[in-house]
Amino acid sequence: MSYIPPSLEKVIDQFSKFPGIGKKTAQRLGIHVLKSKKEDIFLFAQSLIDVKNKIKTCERCHNISESSPCELCVDPRRDSSLLCVVEDSSDIMLIEKTGYRGLYHVLGGTLSPLDGIGPDHIYIDDLIDKSSNFKEVIISTNASIDGDATALYIQQILSDKDIKISRLARGLPVGSQLEYIDEATLTNAIENRTEFND
Amino acid sequence: MSYIPPSLEKVIDQFSKFPGIGKKTAQRLGIHVLKSKKEDIFLFAQSLIDVKNKIKTCERCHNISESSPCELCVDPRRDSSLLCVVEDSSDIMLIEKTGYRGLYHVLGGTLSPLDGIGPDHIYIDDLIDKSSNFKEVIISTNASIDGDATALYIQQILSDKDIKISRLARGLPVGSQLEYIDEATLTNAIENRTEFND
């Protein structure tokens, strides 16, 4: 395809490596780069380099941050008796939106014996060490097989400590119709039914 | 949102300026940058800078290229009696796929009197100058109001020259069903009906 300049083809190729970006979208993004102002693209390139140079992992909670310990770990306004355990840093962004204001612990993955990922491959050891400092540990792994297995594992190794261990509720997503809910979710929703508070 | 490191937020913000990239996709792309290898992201940043530094506009056809005149204009294997007039460089990529092997002229837009874009704002002058060198000029503007108006304008100013002027056929898209075709297209398809060749 000699009619696409090599440098443009390279950018298109790089864009298509991003998740959810197909060949056509990558081409559109490449054309956009072509049409954008030089300064804007240089700024964009610089910001990409900055991310890789500045962002590290917090030594306490393993969240991504430009400082270690991160802003969340050192914020005195946060409730230091609550610990929310998540699989990934990106989950923190979602949980923050719910209004939760305790601390976090990022596992950096889930246990997955079939893929050879055991407790030594994710941040579980230091979770055990620090867990005694908290009143409650909320295990917020995904509701997937690996997420559930990981939650169960953590629950078991923390069970002999004097801390409350909870996990995210299972039930109907807000706005859903029973008709479209799978059996497992509905079973959970009935088992975990909540009383009306008068 | 202090839980997103500023440098990451900047990248997400930059991604969301691309066409078709919303806030959520931008966030996913930002996370991907975070998780990618440093070398890969540096390569990506460099390729963006390269595009802006290397690519220029061909002095003859106004196509984008790393050289001027571009590869298409100087390729001796191409049919130099045919000229295909397109709105944008990106249209060339599409027309190349059809097997067309003549030369191109990129207008760099369409006439659009309402937006104040007249013949002086797009590359029409030099198209008139060079048109005499060709046997046929194929006007391949979009089948939009502006594209049609531009095609008509070009057809009129070239009409006194001894060259064949054509434009892309209007009719049924391949694989379409009459039921879903709009009236204007169907009218075109009937008017421009073609005879079966025995």
Side-chain angles (χ1 to χ4, degrees):
Chain A
M1 299 202 290
S2 68
Y3 49 94
I4 301 183
S7 54
L8 177 59
E9 195 151 15
K10 207 165 157 193
V11 157
I12 292 175
D13 189 52
Q14 301 264 15
F15 267 121
S16 66
K17 286 180 189 159
F18 278 80
I21 305 284
K23 193 76 199 158
K24 281 228 164 176
T25 309
Q27 220 169 62
R28 207 173 56 232
L29 297 177
I31 301 280
H32 179 78
V33 168
L34 210 63
K35 289 182 178 167
S36 298
K37 278 193 217 140
K38 202 167 180 169
E39 308 89 80
D40 289 346
I41 297 304
F42 282 13
L43 266 179
F44 178 45
Q46 189 54 52
S47 69
L48 287 165
I49 293 168
D50 281 351
V51 161
K52 300 310 286 182
N53 280 337
K54 288 187 184 166
I55 293 187
K56 42 192 159 228
T57 305
C58 169
E59 66 201 31
R60 287 197 205 161
C61 70
H62 313 297
N63 181 22
I64 49 159
S65 171
E66 289 181 12
S67 57
S68 176
C70 72
E71 298 84 354
L72 294 171
C73 284
V74 298
D75 188 342
R77 290 165 302 175
R78 301 192 74 96
D79 183 348
S80 59
S81 69
L82 272 178
L83 184 70
C84 179
V85 177
V86 294
E87 290 181 19
D88 200 275
S89 300
S90 53
D91 297 329
I92 293 184
M93 303 184 198
L94 305 173
I95 292 181
E96 278 293 293
K97 286 185 189 156
T98 67
Y100 171 82
R101 288 297 175 267
L103 298 182
Y104 290 97
H105 178 88
V106 178
L107 292 171
T110 51
L111 297 178
S112 183
L114 288 176
D115 301 320
I117 301 174
D120 295 341
H121 297 87
I122 61 176
Y123 297 112
I124 280 192
D125 279 351
D126 60 339
L127 169 63
I128 304 172
D129 294 342
K130 72 180 173 192
S131 60
S132 316
N133 303 328
F134 298 92
K135 282 191 195 145
E136 180 173 355
V137 172
I138 306 166
I139 306 175
S140 307
T141 51
N142 287 325
S144 61
I145 294 180
D146 285 347
D148 277 351
T150 310
L152 202 65
Y153 179 84
I154 296 174
Q155 187 264 322
Q156 280 172 347
I157 50 173
L158 295 186
S159 60
D160 56 344
K161 304 197 179 215
D162 185 26
I163 33 177
K164 187 172 164 189
I165 305 168
S166 55
R167 65 169 194 166
L168 297 182
R170 303 294 161 89
L172 307 180
V174 171
S176 59
Q177 290 186 283
L178 293 192
E179 192 180 351
Y180 300 112
I181 295 295
D182 64 287
E183 214 176 286
T185 303
L186 201 49
T187 308
N188 269 300
I190 289 184
E191 278 172 4
N192 305 325
R193 63 194 177 278
T194 51
E195 267 188 81
F196 276 104
N197 297 322
D198 290 319
Chain B
M1 300 202 290
S2 68
Y3 49 94
I4 301 183
S7 55
L8 177 59
E9 195 152 16
K10 208 165 157 193
V11 158
I12 293 175
D13 189 52
Q14 301 264 13
F15 267 122
S16 66
K17 286 180 188 159
F18 278 81
I21 305 284
K23 194 76 198 158
K24 282 226 164 178
T25 308
Q27 221 169 60
R28 210 174 53 233
L29 297 178
I31 301 281
H32 179 78
V33 168
L34 210 61
K35 289 182 178 169
S36 298
K37 280 194 215 138
K38 202 167 178 169
E39 308 89 79
D40 290 346
I41 296 304
F42 281 13
L43 267 179
F44 178 45
Q46 189 55 50
S47 70
L48 287 165
I49 292 168
D50 280 352
V51 161
K52 298 311 285 184
N53 280 337
K54 288 186 184 166
I55 293 187
K56 43 193 158 227
T57 304
C58 169
E59 66 200 31
R60 287 197 206 161
C61 71
H62 313 297
N63 181 22
I64 50 160
S65 172
E66 290 182 12
S67 57
S68 177
C70 70
E71 299 84 354
L72 294 172
C73 282
V74 297
D75 188 342
R77 291 165 300 175
R78 302 192 73 97
D79 183 348
S80 60
S81 70
L82 273 179
L83 184 71
C84 178
V85 178
V86 295
E87 290 180 19
D88 200 275
S89 299
S90 53
D91 297 329
I92 292 184
M93 304 184 197
L94 305 173
I95 291 180
E96 278 293 294
K97 286 186 191 158
T98 66
Y100 171 82
R101 289 296 175 267
L103 299 181
Y104 291 96
H105 178 89
V106 178
L107 293 170
T110 51
L111 298 177
S112 184
L114 287 176
D115 301 319
I117 301 173
D120 296 340
H121 297 87
I122 60 178
Y123 297 112
I124 281 193
D125 280 349
D126 59 341
L127 168 62
I128 304 173
D129 295 342
K130 72 181 173 192
S131 60
S132 316
N133 304 328
F134 298 91
K135 282 192 193 145
E136 180 174 355
V137 171
I138 306 166
I139 306 175
S140 307
T141 50
N142 288 323
S144 62
I145 294 180
D146 286 347
D148 278 350
T150 309
L152 201 67
Y153 180 84
I154 295 172
Q155 186 265 324
Q156 281 172 348
I157 50 174
L158 295 185
S159 58
D160 56 343
K161 303 196 180 217
D162 184 26
I163 33 177
K164 186 173 165 189
I165 306 168
S166 57
R167 66 169 193 165
L168 298 182
R170 302 294 162 88
L172 308 179
V174 171
S176 59
Q177 291 185 282
L178 292 192
E179 191 179 353
Y180 300 112
I181 295 295
D182 64 288
E183 213 176 287
T185 302
L186 202 50
T187 307
N188 268 299
I190 289 185
E191 278 174 4
N192 305 324
R193 64 195 177 276
T194 52
E195 268 187 81
F196 277 105
N197 297 321
D198 291 316

